Amino acid sequence: EVQLQASGGGLVQAGGSLRLSCAASGFTFDDYVIGWFRQAPGKEREGVSCINSAGTTYYSEPVKGRFTTSRDSAKNTVYLQMNSLKPEDTAVYYCSAERFLCSGAGDYWGKGTLVTVSS
């Protein structure tokens, strides 16, 4: 059974940090690009970051310089370190797995984890 389990969300003050984890199972982890996406209340889902098996990363402009994604193939886990958090980062964060791409189509999706940043 394919599973993507996102965790690590919570309530944090502006300027604080959180680390999200995405634990994967049931598929060949290194064949997939792992992306983080988020959806704020009343807004469309947007891309946050991507990382492939070679460690190549992509970040959207709103988070560039503040967020860092990494992956541990031994643990089939991808992380999203979020620093200097802003209230506008408040959203449900999802991780997805997609072969070769990070388009947002996602072959597999996990349940989200809520991040709330207070001002």
Side-chain angles (χ1 to χ4, degrees), residues 5-101:
Q5 183 65 51
S7 61
L11 174 63
V12 64
Q13 288 189 332
S17 298
L18 281 175
R19 189 176 82 154
L20 306 184
S21 299
C22 175
S25 61
F27 61 95
T28 305
F29 184 69
D30 285 346
D31 285 351
Y32 286 79
V33 178
I34 305 298
W36 286 98
F37 297 80
R38 67 186 182 184
Q39 187 165 21
K43 295 188 176 182
E44 292 187 356
R45 188 179 66 202
E46 64 174 352
V48 175
S49 67
C50 305
I51 185 167
N52 66 12
S53 59
T56 303
T57 56
Y58 159 83
Y59 299 96
S60 65
E61 284 299 323
V63 309
K64 198 174 290 184
R66 299 186 298 121
F67 291 10
T68 302
T69 188
S70 60
R71 66 192 283 160
D72 184 339
S73 292
K75 296 182 178 179
N76 282 8
T77 300
V78 167
Y79 304 98
L80 183 67
Q81 178 66 43
M82 305 185 296
N83 298 329
S84 302
L85 282 161
K86 305 175 181 180
E88 52 264 43
D89 294 318
T90 295
V92 177
Y93 284 70
Y94 302 89
C95 58
S96 79
E98 188 173 350
R99 290 203 71 169
F100 310 124
L101 299 174

